[in-house]
Structure formats: structure tokens, C-alpha cells
């Protein structure tokens, strides 16, 4: 771009140069050449800076494309699908475990009822034992009244009394153990009731809420994956557009080269005018007059005026197209950032983007619920273990009572037989013996029922403890681990989404700013355009001021044009040259196509 000082150098066409004064013409041509050189140097720096800025934009967009490609793969990955399916299984297990918990409460209630029933039976047995004890006292009195005939009877009575003491002792132990069983069952029932009260609402609503949250997560995951794909595609499109702009900005390099060629051509013209330097070595213009050399310089200046004017036209046209493309790219880049905000949502004050907002509270509630299940299961296992230990003792005590009852019953039958042999003397003893037999039979019936109750307690308790409870704890642990791993995966994807959105907001704005800055920087090409046109007008003024003589210098003119044509590197230069002297263009240069430039050539 031309500086103000360069602009001051060429303010108006040179209209008053004296044709015969070759030194003044040379000075004017050199002045124009220096102005063109200054503009060329400024052009190179300006377009290089613009190219570097746009190249950094491409790098940023490539990072965004890679980032959102990765995010899309994460959202569509089997692991992500497995995470949502895992939480769906967790939701199902809440219902399963809550059902098991209800079954456990039912069994505990059943055990408590059996314990109450068993206590009544033991109380009934105890009363019968006391009754037998009273009967044995009466039997002793009756046996004593019959003298020697009741001696054998007294022996039975003593044995019955001893058995009763054993029975009472075992019944006492049984009562104590049963009280402990009841206490454990009451504690377990109270714990279950408290657990149910504390988690009833959670158990009722969590499965549905989890299912709804997961449905929403699935919908948002699919939408997010689609949006990530769109961001990736649009980022690639903007990147490709920037690549096209960078290619278009090669007009800057072309402009610089054409200015350098014009500068070199101008310096070449001053050598012709002086007929000195490399250009004077055995060249035709060394043999023409000073006026003819002025005519040669005029022809050369006319060509350079045309070249620079065309260079300015090409620059203006290309930069106009670049500005249009940059405006569209700026819109597209802003649309990418807007897409992130619209599709993914605005982050909350803590910087989260809400990917798990609908699920987090439900997951926390579920985790607490499973923690409660786990504690309840461990507590139940301990309780049932204690109950089973006590029930073993109950079984032993009731077995002892039944054994004693059998002995008493046998002794009651023997007492009855003895009393019958005593005749009328043993009538009273016979009545007592029959009552003992009846009581022992009733005791036997209650003891049998009590044994069945104890067996039922064993079966029910085992259904809640031991392997069953251990299996439940293992299941709870497995489900908790599944929930943890699933939510960890979801949080990982949510973090990736947050990072991607932050990068999109940050880098998207950076790209937009870079594109806008590029557009602003390219406005300086107006100064380059103006400088080129001033230089073209100055060359044209020099050409117009030259004399119009005969064509005696035609051979020298053609040779001059051939020398100038050797410097061309662009087809456009040759096209302009052809308007002045088409026969002086090198054939090889005309027929050899220029190599196609790609974005990779420019960036790498």
C-alpha cells in the first residue's frame, strides 16, 4: 500500500517534460519506479499479515471440527448407549428391590405373629405344667393316706415332680430366648417401617422419574450429536471458504510482482535513455538517435502505464470479490456460535450446560435409596442371624419339654394302672393320675404345635438371612456400581460438551474477529489502488510527452519489448503486452500453462 509520502511523490501527470532532455525524462521515470517500489514493498507486508491472520483462522476451525467430531462420536458411542441403558436397568431394579423390601416386611410381620402365637402356646404349656404340679401334690397326699399300698405310687409322683422341674427350667429358658427373638423382630420391623416411611415417596416416584429423565437424555443426546455434526460440517465449510479467500489473496502477490516488473522495466528504460549499463551492450538502441531513444522510452512507459492500470483493475476486482466472500464467512462463523447457543443451551452461572440437570437429582435420590437398601439389608442380616441362633436354642428347649412331657404321660398311665390295682383304696389316686394324663396330653399337643411354629420361624428367617440376604447385598452393590459407572460416563460426555461449547464460544468469536479484522485490513488496498493509478497516470504522462518520430527505431523497439517480456510470470501481463507488440512475446512463455495453486500450497 502506498504511504502518504509515496502519494506525495506523484501528485499529477508529468505534462511539461522537455522531450529533448533525456536526463530529466530518466529522473522522472526513476521517480515513478521508486514510488512503485515503495508501494510493492508495502503490498507484500500487508497481504502477508492478512494471509497469516486467515491461516490462524483455518487452524482454529480445524480444531473445532476435530473437537465436535470427537464429541459426536462420544454421543453416538456404544459406551454412551450402554450408560443410558444401565441407568434404565437401575430404574427397574428400584422397583425390584422395593418389592423385595415389601416382601421382607411381610415376612417380618409373619414372624412376629408366629412369635406371639408361640408365646401363647408356651404360656399354655407352662399352665399345664403348673397344673400337673398341683396334681402331684394331691397325689402325694392321697398316696400317703393308703399306707404301704401307695408306696409305688409315691415313687412315680416323685419322678413326675423331678420331670416337672426340668420342664419348668426349659420353659423358662424358652421364654427368655423367645423374648429375645421377639425383641429382635420388633426392632427389625421398626427399622423396616422407618425405612419405608423415609423412602416411601422416593420408591414410588424414582422409577418413573428416572425413566423420564433418561428419555429426555436420549432425545437431547441425539439432538446434540446431530448439532455437533452440523457444527463440524459448518466449521469445515467456513474453513474451506477461508481457504478460497487465501487463494484469492494471491492477487496481492501477483500485484507485488507486477509492480516489481514495472519498476524493473522503468529502470531498464533509463538505461536505454542513457545507452549505458547492461542494456547498452551491443543492443540496437545504441545505434539510434537520442530522440529515437526518447520515443523508445515513451513506448515503454505507455506499456507500463497499461500494465499498472490493469494491475489496479485486477486488484480492485479481486478484492471486491474477497470482501463479499468475507462478509458471508463472517455471517457463517457467527451462525456456528449461534447454533451452539440455540441447540446446546446457555450455561448456568456455575458454567454447566444442563446435560444432566434433569437426571442429577434423581440419581442422587436413587443413590441414597440404594444406600438405605444396603444398610437395611445388612441390619436385617444381623437381626436374622441373631434370630436363627436363638431359634436353635428354642428348638432345643421345646425338644426337652416334649421329652419331659412324654415321660410324664407314661408315668401318668402307669399311675393310673397302679391305682386300679389298689381297688377302692386307690380310687382317689386314679382320678389324680387321669388328670395328670389329660394335662400331659394337652401339653403334648401344645408342644407339638410350638415345634411347628419354631420350624416355621426357621424357614421364614432363613428366607431373609444368610445366602438370600448376601445375594441381595451383592445385587445392591452391583446395581450401585452400574449406576456409578453410568453416571460417570454421562458426566464425562457432559464435560466434553461443556469444553466443546466453551471452545466454540471462544474460538468462534476469535474466528469472527479475525475475519472482520481481515476485511478491515483489506480496505487499505484502496490506497494501493490509488497509488497504482497515480503511477500509471505518471507513466502515461511521460509517454504522451515523448516526440512522435518516424519508425526508424522499430528493431530497437521490438528488442526492448522482448527484454521486458522476459520478466513476465503471469498470463495477464502477457495479454497486456500483446496489445502493444504481440510478436515480441516468447513462444514458450505463451504456450506453457501456469501451475494450479491449491490451498495446501498456500498454507504449507
Amino acid at each position: 500500500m502506498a504511504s502518504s509520502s509515496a502519494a506525495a511523490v506523484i501528485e499529477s501527470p508529468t505534462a511539461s517534460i522537455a522531450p529533448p532532455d533525456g536526463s530529466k525524462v530518466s529522473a522522472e521515470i526513476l521517480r515513478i519506479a521508486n514510488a512503485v517500489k515503495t508501494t510493492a514493498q508495502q503490498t507484500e507486508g500487508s497481504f502477508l499479515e492478512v494471509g497469516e491472520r486467515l491461516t490462524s483462522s483455518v487452524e482454529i476451525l480445524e480444531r473445532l471440527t476435530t473437537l465436535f467430531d470427537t464429541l459426536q462420536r462420544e454421543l453416538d458411542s456404544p459406551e454412551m448407549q450402554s450408560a443410558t441403558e444401565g441407568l434404565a436397568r437401575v430404574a427397574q431394579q428400584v422397583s425390584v428391590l422395593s418389592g423385595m423390601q415389601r416382601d421382607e416386611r411381610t415376612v417380618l410381620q409373619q414372624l412376629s405373629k408366629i412369635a406371639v402365637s408361640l408365646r401363647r402356646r408356651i404360656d399354655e404349656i407352662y399352665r399345664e405344667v403348673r397344673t400337673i404340679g398341683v396334681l402331684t401334690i394331691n397325689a402325694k397326699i392321697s398316696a400317703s393316706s393308703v399306707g404301704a399300698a401307695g408306696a409305688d405310687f409315691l415313687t412315680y409322683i416323685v419322678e413326675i415332680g423331678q420331670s416337672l422341674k426340668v420342664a419348668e427350667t426349659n420353659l423358662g429358658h424358652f421364654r427368655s430366648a423367645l423374648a429375645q427373638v421377639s425383641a429382635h423382630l420388633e426392632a427389625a420391623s421398626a427399622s423396616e417401617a422407618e425405612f419405608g416411611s423415609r423412602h416411601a415417596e422416593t420408591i414410588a416416584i424414582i422409577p418413573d422419574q428416572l425413566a423420564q429423565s433418561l428419555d429426555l437424555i436420549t432425545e437431547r443426546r441425539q439432538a446434540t450429536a446431530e448439532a455437533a455434526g452440523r457444527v463440524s460440517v459448518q466449521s469445515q465449510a467456513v474453513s474451506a471458504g477461508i481457504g478460497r479467500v487465501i487463494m484469492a489473496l494471491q492477487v496481492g502477490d501477483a500485484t507485488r510482482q507486477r509492480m516489481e516488473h514495472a519498476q524493473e522495466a522503468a529502470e531498464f528504460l533509463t538505461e536505454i535513455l542513457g545507452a549505458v549499463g547492461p542494456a547498452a551492450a551491443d543492443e540496437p538502441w545504441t545505434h539510434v538517435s537520442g530522440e529515437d531513444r526518447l520515443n523508445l522510452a515513451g513506448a515503454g512507459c505507455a506499456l507500463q502505464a497499461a500494465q499498472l492500470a490493469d494491475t489496479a483493475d485486477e486488484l480492485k476486482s479481486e478484492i471486491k470479490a474477497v470482501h463479499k466472500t468475507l462478509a458471508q464467512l463472517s455471517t457463517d462463523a457467527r451462525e456456528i456460535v449461534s447454533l451452539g447457543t440455540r441447540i446446546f443451551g446457555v450455561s448456568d452461572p456455575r458454567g454447566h450446560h444442563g446435560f444432566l440437570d434433569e437426571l442429577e437429582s434423581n440419581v442422587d435420590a436413587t443413590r441414597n435409596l440404594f444406600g438405605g437398601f444396603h444398610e437395611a439389608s445388612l441390619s436385617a442380616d444381623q437381626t436374622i442371624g441373631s434370630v436363627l441362633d436363638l431359634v436353635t436354642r428354642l428348638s432345643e428347649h421345646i425338644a426337652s419339654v416334649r421329652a419331659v412331657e412324654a415321660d410324664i404321660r407314661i408315668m401318668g398311665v402307669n399311675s393310673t394302672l397302679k391305682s386300679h390295682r389298689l381297688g377302692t383304696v386307690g380310687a382317689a389316686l386314679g382320678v389324680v393320675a387321669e388328670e395328670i394324663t389329660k394335662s400331659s396330653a394337652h401339653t403334648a399337643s401344645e408342644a407339638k404345635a410350638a415345634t411347628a411354629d419354631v420350624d416355621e420361624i426357621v424357614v421364614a428367617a432363613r428366607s431373609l438371612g444368610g445366602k438370600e440376604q448376601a445375594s441381595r447385598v451383592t445385587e445392591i452393590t452391583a446395581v450401585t456400581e452400574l449406576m456409578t459407572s453410568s453416571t460417570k460416563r454421562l458426566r464425562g460426555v457432559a464435560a466434553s460438551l461443556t469444553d466443546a461449547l466453551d471452545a466454540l464460544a471462544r474460538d468462534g468469536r476469535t474466528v469472527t474477529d479475525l475475519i472482520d479484522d481481515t476485511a478491515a485490513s483489506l480496505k487499505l488496498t484502496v490506497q494501493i489502488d490509488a497509488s497504482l493509478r497515480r503511477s500509471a497516470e505518471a507513466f502515461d504522462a511521460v509517454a504522451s510527452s515523448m516526440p512522435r518520430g518516424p519508425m526508424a527505431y522499430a528493431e530497437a523497439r521490438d528488442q526492448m519489448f522482448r527484454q521486458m517480456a522476459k520478466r513476465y510470470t503471469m498470463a495477464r501481463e502477457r495479454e497486456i503486452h500483446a496489445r502493444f507488440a504481440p510478436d515480441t512475446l516468447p513462444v514458450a512463455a505463451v504456450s506453457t500453462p501456469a501451475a494450479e495453486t491449491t490451498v495446501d500450497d498456500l498454507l504449507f
Side-chain angles (χ1 to χ4, degrees):
M1 287 165 282
S3 65
S4 58
S5 60
V9 173
I10 305 173
E11 299 222 348
S12 62
T14 309
S16 58
I17 299 176
D21 193 342
S23 62
K24 288 186 177 180
V25 174
S26 291
E28 177 65 10
I29 291 174
L30 284 176
R31 184 174 65 81
I32 300 170
N34 287 332
V36 172
K37 180 180 180 180
T38 300
T39 304
Q41 291 172 340
Q42 293 174 339
T43 300
E44 180 179 21
S46 298
F47 278 89
L48 180 61
E49 181 183 349
V50 169
E52 290 175 347
R53 185 182 296 118
L54 288 178
T55 299
S56 66
S57 297
V58 172
E59 292 171 353
I60 291 171
L61 287 169
E62 286 177 348
R63 287 201 305 270
L64 280 178
T65 298
T66 301
L67 184 61
F68 277 89
D69 279 344
T70 301
L71 176 62
Q72 185 180 17
R73 286 194 296 273
E74 281 193 65
L75 290 164
D76 285 334
S77 67
E79 291 83 0
M80 184 65 177
Q81 182 68 28
S82 175
T84 53
E85 290 176 352
L87 285 176
R89 290 198 296 275
V90 168
Q92 293 174 349
Q93 287 302 108
V94 171
S95 298
V96 171
L97 288 172
S98 63
M100 294 170 66
Q101 206 71 22
R102 286 193 299 272
D103 292 343
E104 190 170 286
R105 283 197 295 273
T106 300
V107 173
L108 285 173
Q109 291 170 358
Q110 179 187 0
L111 284 171
S112 295
K113 290 180 180 178
I114 296 171
V116 171
S117 172
L118 188 56
R119 188 162 48 247
R120 286 199 300 265
R121 295 188 188 283
I122 295 304
D123 289 344
E124 185 65 24
I125 293 173
Y126 193 80
R127 281 194 295 272
E128 291 298 333
V129 168
R130 295 295 297 271
T131 298
I132 294 173
V134 172
L135 289 173
T136 57
I137 293 173
N138 293 333
K140 277 184 181 182
I141 296 171
S142 299
S144 298
S145 65
V146 297
D152 291 340
F153 198 89
L154 282 173
T155 300
Y156 286 120
I157 294 302
V158 171
E159 290 176 354
I160 289 173
Q162 291 173 346
S163 295
L164 287 175
K165 288 180 180 179
V166 173
E168 286 180 345
T169 299
N170 281 287
L171 286 173
H173 291 322
F174 192 100
R175 274 182 166 178
S176 176
L178 183 58
Q180 293 180 59
V181 168
S182 297
H184 283 304
L185 292 176
E186 287 175 6
S189 296
S191 176
E192 288 291 332
E194 192 274 335
F195 176 86
S197 174
R198 179 155 40 97
H199 296 288
E201 184 177 357
T202 302
I203 291 172
I205 64 176
I206 277 296
D208 287 342
Q209 286 187 344
L210 271 177
Q212 292 172 9
S213 294
L214 287 169
D215 287 343
L216 184 58
I217 286 289
T218 299
E219 292 174 7
R220 293 189 65 186
R221 177 176 64 82
Q222 293 171 347
T224 302
E226 180 182 348
R230 290 170 59 188
V231 169
S232 176
V233 169
Q234 289 191 241
S235 296
Q236 289 176 326
V238 173
S239 179
I242 290 175
R244 290 193 296 272
V245 168
I246 293 174
M247 292 181 67
L249 287 178
Q250 290 306 292
V251 68
D253 186 58
T255 299
R256 175 189 59 78
Q257 290 186 52
R258 294 184 72 175
M259 283 191 283
E260 289 175 350
H261 297 162
Q263 171 208 338
E264 292 168 358
E267 293 170 349
F268 175 57
L269 290 176
T270 63
E271 292 178 5
I272 291 176
L273 284 171
V276 295
D282 258 348
E283 296 293 353
W285 46 80
T286 60
H287 307 294
V288 299
S289 66
E291 185 175 344
D292 284 340
R293 286 199 295 273
L294 287 172
N295 276 320
L296 286 173
C301 285
L303 174 57
Q304 302 318 309
Q307 290 284 14
L308 290 177
D310 183 73
T311 300
D313 289 342
E314 285 287 296
L315 177 65
K316 184 176 182 179
S317 175
E318 289 293 332
I319 293 302
K320 181 179 179 181
V322 165
H323 273 298
K324 183 177 180 181
T325 302
L326 285 174
Q328 183 59 51
L329 289 176
S330 179
T331 300
D332 292 344
R334 285 183 168 83
E335 174 60 22
I336 293 173
V337 178
S338 175
L339 175 65
T341 302
R342 283 198 318 271
I343 300 298
F344 302 111
V346 181
S347 60
D348 63 24
R350 296 173 299 169
H352 300 150
H353 290 276
F355 191 75
L356 292 178
D357 285 352
E358 295 83 356
L359 188 64
E360 283 289 357
S361 60
N362 289 333
V363 167
D364 289 341
T366 305
R367 184 174 288 105
N368 291 334
L369 179 61
F370 281 123
F373 277 138
H374 189 268
E375 291 176 6
S377 294
L378 291 178
S379 176
D381 193 40
Q382 292 176 350
T383 299
I384 295 305
S386 298
V387 167
L388 285 172
D389 288 341
L390 290 169
V391 168
T392 301
R393 287 154 57 186
L394 287 179
S395 297
E396 293 172 354
H397 296 319
I398 199 65
S400 296
V401 170
R402 293 188 68 180
V404 170
E405 174 277 323
D407 290 341
I408 293 174
R409 190 154 22 100
I410 291 171
M411 284 186 279
V413 172
N414 290 335
S415 297
T416 302
L417 294 174
K418 284 284 186 182
S419 64
H420 287 166
R421 282 198 291 269
L422 293 175
T424 56
V425 176
L429 290 175
V431 171
V432 173
E434 287 178 2
E435 290 298 324
I436 290 174
T437 301
K438 288 179 182 179
S439 290
S440 64
H442 185 63
T443 299
S445 176
E446 291 296 334
K448 183 178 180 181
T451 300
D453 287 345
V454 170
D455 291 342
E456 191 173 353
I457 289 176
V458 171
V459 173
R462 283 177 178 170
S463 71
L464 296 181
K467 293 182 180 180
E468 295 293 332
Q469 200 63 254
S471 175
R472 187 175 306 177
V473 170
T474 300
E475 185 175 0
I476 291 170
T477 301
V479 173
T480 302
E481 290 175 353
L482 174 62
M483 181 172 59
T484 299
S485 62
S486 297
T487 53
K488 181 179 179 181
R489 179 64 184 170
L490 289 175
R491 287 194 186 99
V493 174
S496 296
L497 174 60
T498 298
D499 292 342
L501 292 179
D502 289 345
L504 178 61
R506 180 185 64 250
D507 294 344
R509 283 193 298 269
T510 300
V511 169
T512 302
D513 291 344
L514 287 171
I515 292 173
D516 292 344
D517 289 346
T518 298
S521 298
L522 288 177
K523 291 179 180 178
L524 298 176
T525 57
V526 174
Q527 297 179 28
I528 299 175
D529 178 271
S531 181
L532 283 169
R533 295 187 191 282
R534 283 195 298 269
S535 295
E537 290 172 2
F539 273 126
D540 192 58
V542 172
S544 299
S545 67
M546 294 299 100
R548 297 288 187 269
M551 297 298 291
Y553 58 90
E555 181 184 349
R557 177 179 177 275
D558 288 348
Q559 184 60 22
M560 176 188 71
F561 281 140
R562 287 190 188 95
Q563 293 281 38
M564 289 180 176
K566 289 179 181 179
R567 296 182 174 87
Y568 298 150
T569 55
M570 283 159 281
R572 188 65 182 172
E573 291 178 301
R574 300 184 187 97
E575 290 176 14
I576 300 301
H577 185 100
R579 298 177 191 173
F580 289 80
D583 295 335
T584 61
L585 285 170
V587 175
V590 174
S591 61
T592 303
E596 183 178 355
T597 304
T598 67
V599 178
D600 287 343
D601 294 330
L602 304 177
L603 298 183
F604 305 102

